């Protein structure tokens, strides 16, 4: 059913499972499209950035502040001061990965 040239519309309309599959696929694609349409240059909290990147908060924090290969402060991450919240620019984070 993944090949559009092999879809028989009459067969699909008579099969509730196929209709449900198509509706689920449309919902998934709409969600992915909404993610792509999000402004890519915005600063997110560390928690939001981790969720967007599909990584743990700890993993993102360790990556941006790595002692061996730190990511550029001001471009990828920023912090007002020690103990303050870290903000991450997800688009730049992906570029520097």
């Amino acid at each position: 059913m993944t090949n559009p040239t092999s879809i028989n519309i009459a067969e699909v309309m008579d099969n509730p499972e196929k209709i449900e599959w198509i509706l689920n696929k449309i919902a998934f694609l709409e969600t992915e499209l909404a993610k792509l349409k999000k402004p890519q240059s915005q600063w997110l909290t560390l928690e939001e950035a981790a969720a967007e990147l599909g990584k743990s908060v700890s993993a993102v924090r360790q990556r941006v502040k790595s002692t061996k290969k730190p990511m550029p402060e001001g471009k990828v991450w920023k912090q007002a001061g020690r103990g303050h919240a870290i903000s991450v620019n997800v688009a730049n984070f992906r570029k520097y990965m």
Side-chain angles (χ1 to χ4, degrees):
M1 177 125 181
T2 57
N3 184 356
T5 58
S6 67
I7 294 175
N8 180 345
I9 299 298
E11 179 185 323
V12 171
M13 296 309 290
D14 292 335
N15 190 332
E17 288 100 19
K18 287 186 180 181
I19 292 173
E20 184 178 348
W21 180 85
I22 290 170
L23 292 174
N24 288 336
K25 191 61 133 179
I26 290 170
F28 171 76
L29 292 173
E30 286 175 338
T31 303
E32 293 300 307
L33 183 59
K35 287 180 188 177
L36 292 173
K37 286 183 174 181
K38 262 188 186 176
Q40 297 296 315
S41 62
Q42 71 184 31
W43 291 92
L44 302 176
T45 65
L46 188 61
E47 293 78 13
E48 292 169 334
E52 179 78 22
L53 294 164
K55 299 184 180 303
S56 70
V57 172
S58 178
V60 175
R61 183 185 300 110
Q62 288 173 15
R63 182 62 189 94
V64 298
K65 292 193 144 194
S66 168
T67 54
K68 293 182 181 179
K69 190 179 175 190
M71 292 187 156
E73 186 174 0
K75 289 184 180 180
V76 176
W77 67 279
K78 62 184 178 180
Q79 185 177 23
R82 189 176 179 100
H84 290 226
I86 297 173
S87 298
V88 179
N89 185 307
V90 175
N92 287 342
F93 185 95
R94 287 185 173 126
K95 286 179 191 175
Y96 283 91
M97 276 304 290

